[in-house]
Structure formats: structure tokens, C-alpha cells
Amino acid sequence: MAAGYAELLRTRHAARLLAGTLVGRLPNATGPIAIVLFTRAEGGSYSLAGALAAVYGLANAVGQPLLGRAVDLFGQPRVQLPAALLSALGMAWLALAGTGSVVVAYAAVVVGGLFTPPLEGGLRALWPSVLGGREEKVHAAYAMDAVAQEVMFTVGPLLVTLFVAVWSPAGALLALNAIGVLGALSVVVSEPSRKWRSQPREAHWLGALRSRGLLALLGAFFFVGMALGSITVAGVAYADGNGGQAVYGWLMAALGLGALIGGVFYGARQWAGAPERRLRLLVALLAVGYLPLLLVPGPVAMTALAALSGVFLAPSLACAFIVVDRHAPAGTVTEAFSWLVTFFGVGAAIGTAAAGPAVELGGAAWGFGVACAAGGAALLVLMATQRALSTAGRSRAVAGSARGVPGGADGVAAQARSAQ
């Protein structure tokens, strides 16, 4: 398993692009917690801290598909780096101005969230050209990508607390966003990013959203995001009655560990058959994995159940990346991946909001019940939209072109001819 990922990372540019993207996304992964810690350090209320973090997330959800469309139209360097600089300036504005003026604070987080560069979608658009258009390698890269996300969202909060301890909450905001700009810079000056071009696209105001298959997928992963969001709140409620913050930390770590294990195993082999059918199975297993959480046993058993509930998350995401690539209209691949990020994030925010009242009504078990219901809804969406997902799916060798990059579109065409 590790050997397969090591082989991918030995491919020219692969390790740099993955590392640069992860570093560039640190401000986004750590943004909400950094905003909350900064607001509290400034004397702001929990309500203000939560509202600023929510506005940041909402602005990010709006900005990702818009910037993704701009990347498809104008290329990566012209969009990614200016966006990273503007986002960092927004967060620096917050760090330097403080929360004395609520209007200024809200404006700063809107700028920070709205201009978060779509590095995640950009990387997935680059994988086909970097890996020579070999479908099995691209699929493995998507799995590696999903695993790397889990690592980032585990390490990111730890970095925030470290920077706050070493400097201050304001210093953490400034440092993390400066690091993020360096990560984006590392990506956009690379040869694959500079030479990547989207496929020719049909002019349409809906862009990627004119694909029925993509809309079906986005609807399903809205509910997957909702399930995850509700677990974060239900986990807090469970920990409050079973040992406090330490138990909550173990639950979240176990959830991430389960996703890591699942992602590693999923990417270790090649899978036959249509990815749309495989995605239905993976989401079904993901939904079933949430059901044991309703038992709310003791902390040790609950930690094991949390790990089990995460096992099929990274495989589901990795398979979803393949489906996005197959159903995104030509010339809209970065935008399509960015829409997935948006729907997933909005679903998580709504899941967080829905779990609060559920916990107040019936305790932690009801909060986990929201996750179960959302997982079931995700499966129902995929089952109800089988026809849309089974048509117009494209087995694309490459999601764009990388002029002059070995193994780009021309290399894929040559492979296709030799296989005939």
C-alpha cells in the first residue's frame, strides 16, 4: 500500500504539488478555529466568535466555485496566487484591526473566505497530466489526496494551538496565512500548473452545474457533509457526560484515523466496474457505519465506533472525485471540484446547526441520529438519481491539457492509439 503511494510521489512534480496544495490550504483548514481563538482573545463573545467563523465558512463556500470557474477560464497562476494574497490580506486585516469594530471584523473574514484559492480543485485537475493520463494512477492519486486531507485537518488545529502558544492568536492568524501564500506560490510556479489549460468549454451561465450527474453527486455529498458536521457537535455532547475534552479529542482523532485507514486500503488496489455503482456501495457502508454510534457506549467502545464510522469516508471521497471528473462538462473540471467542496462544506455547517437542537432534545444519541439520517439521505439521493449518474459519464483520460508537459494530452492520445 505504502509502496503504491511512494511510487506516485516519485513521479516528477507529484510530491511538490501535493505538499504545496496542502500547505496552501492550511489557512482554510485552520481558519474557523483561529478566528474563534482570536475573537475570544480580543474579548469578543462566543456568539461573535461563532458568527465570524460561520461567515468565513459561508464566504468560502460562495468563492470556491466562482474562483474555480475563473481558473478554468484563465489558468491557475492568474487566479490562484492573487486569490491567496487577497485572502491573506483579509485575515491580516482582522488580526491587525481586531474585533473592536464588528463591521470591520465581518468585512475582513468575508474577504478572507471569499478569496480562498481553489487549490483543492486545482490539484485534482492537474493529476491526469502529471501522471501521464494513466487512469489507474489518477484514481490512486485521488485516494492519496483524500488521505492527505485527513492528515491536514488533523495537524492543522494542532498548528493553530502551537502558534497561539508560541506567539499569540493574532500571530497565529498572520503566520498561517503567510505560510498559505507560500504554499500557493509553490504550486503556481510549477511547470504543470503554469502549462495546464482547461479543455475548450461551451459557454453556459450554469457552467459545471448543467450536468445532471454532477448535480446528483453534489446533492448526495451535501448530506455526507451534514453527517460529519453533526458528529462534531454530538461528540462534544457525548464527551461532556463521559470525561470531558480529552474524550472528545480521542473521538475526533479516531474518526480521522478510521478515514486514513480506509483511504490507504482503498487506494492500494485497482477497482473494476463503473465508479458510480461503487460510490453507491461505499456511501451505503458509510451510512451503516454511523448506526452503531446511536448506542453511545463507554468511552473506549465509543472511540472504536468512531474509528469504524470513519473507515468509508476517504474511499467515498476518492470515488466521488472520479465521478466528478467523469460528469463535469468539458472545460469546467476545476469549477466542478470546487462545487463539491462547497456543497460538502455547506452540508457540514447545516449539520452542525441541526445537531445542536437535537442534542438539547434527546442528548448525544439524538445528535448522532442526525448523522445517521443524513447518511441515509445521501444514499437515497444516489439511488434516486441512478439514471442521471449512469448517463453522460465520461471515461476521461485527462481533465485538461498541459501544453509541453510530458504525458499530457498528446501522450494520452498516443497511449490510446497504441492500445487499439
Side-chain angles (χ1 to χ4, degrees):
M1 291 179 293
Y5 288 142
E7 181 184 356
L8 286 177
L9 293 174
R10 283 195 295 268
T11 303
R12 189 184 178 202
H13 303 297
R16 172 181 176 174
L17 290 171
L18 180 63
T21 298
L22 292 176
V23 172
R25 292 179 59 213
L26 265 180
N28 182 234
T30 59
I33 187 171
I35 289 170
V36 169
L37 292 175
F38 174 76
T39 304
R40 292 295 296 148
E42 290 284 301
S45 66
Y46 282 109
S47 296
L48 177 61
L52 287 173
V55 169
Y56 173 84
L58 180 61
N60 180 262
V62 172
Q64 285 295 292
L66 297 177
L67 291 171
R69 181 177 295 193
V71 167
D72 287 326
L73 290 172
F74 305 113
Q76 294 198 2
R78 292 182 180 181
V79 177
Q80 304 277 36
L81 186 57
L85 288 169
L86 286 170
S87 178
L89 286 174
M91 300 308 285
W93 184 15
L94 176 66
L96 298 175
T99 58
S101 169
V102 176
V103 173
V104 169
Y106 278 114
V109 297
V110 166
V111 172
L114 188 65
F115 289 101
T116 299
L119 293 167
E120 187 175 348
L123 175 64
R124 290 167 198 153
L126 289 176
W127 280 132
S129 59
V130 171
L131 298 174
R134 293 177 59 182
E135 188 173 0
E136 72 281 1
K137 282 195 170 186
V138 173
H139 293 182
Y142 287 156
M144 181 176 65
D145 191 351
V147 170
Q149 282 190 72
E150 298 302 324
V151 174
M152 183 189 66
F153 281 97
T154 301
V155 173
L158 298 177
L159 285 178
V160 175
T161 56
L162 175 63
F163 288 173
V164 167
V166 172
W167 295 308
S168 65
L173 274 174
L174 293 170
L176 288 166
N177 281 274
I179 292 172
V181 171
L182 293 177
L185 179 64
S186 174
V187 171
V188 300
V189 299
S190 68
E191 183 181 1
S193 180
R194 286 186 289 107
K195 295 188 175 182
W196 179 85
R197 296 294 182 271
S198 177
Q199 290 178 326
R201 60 185 285 151
E202 175 189 348
H204 197 289
W205 70 276
L206 278 175
L209 294 183
R210 66 183 183 270
S211 165
R212 293 175 61 215
L214 180 63
L215 287 174
L217 180 74
L218 296 178
F221 273 79
F222 166 85
F223 288 109
V224 173
M226 186 175 174
L228 284 184
S230 63
I231 286 176
T232 60
V233 175
V236 171
Y238 174 85
D240 284 343
N242 292 273
Q245 292 184 355
V247 171
Y248 179 70
W250 280 109
L251 290 179
M252 294 301 101
L255 184 68
L257 177 63
L260 282 172
I261 293 171
V264 168
F265 274 92
Y266 178 81
R269 57 162 293 179
Q270 297 181 27
W271 299 89
E276 291 82 2
R277 287 198 301 271
R278 185 162 69 249
L279 181 62
R280 285 194 292 272
L281 174 60
L282 290 170
V283 170
L285 292 171
L286 182 66
V288 169
Y290 292 140
L291 293 175
L293 296 175
L294 295 172
L295 300 174
V296 289
V300 174
M302 194 65 181
T303 300
L305 293 180
L308 176 65
S309 72
V311 167
F312 293 100
L313 176 60
S316 296
L317 286 171
C319 191
F321 299 158
I322 299 170
V323 176
V324 169
D325 186 54
R326 283 163 58 89
H327 287 269
T332 68
V333 64
T334 310
E335 179 190 345
F337 279 123
S338 299
W339 274 118
L340 181 63
V341 175
T342 288
F343 272 70
F344 192 88
V346 171
I350 292 177
T352 300
V359 166
E360 291 178 358
L361 285 172
W366 281 43
F368 290 120
V370 174
C372 295
L379 178 59
L380 287 175
V381 170
L382 291 178
M383 296 296 292
T385 58
Q386 290 186 56
R387 179 173 297 181
L389 283 167
S390 64
T391 58
R394 295 173 293 125
S395 182
R396 250 186 342 192
V398 67
S401 65
R403 298 173 188 169
V405 177
D410 295 338
V412 175
Q415 291 177 8
R417 286 193 295 271
S418 66
Q420 291 176 345

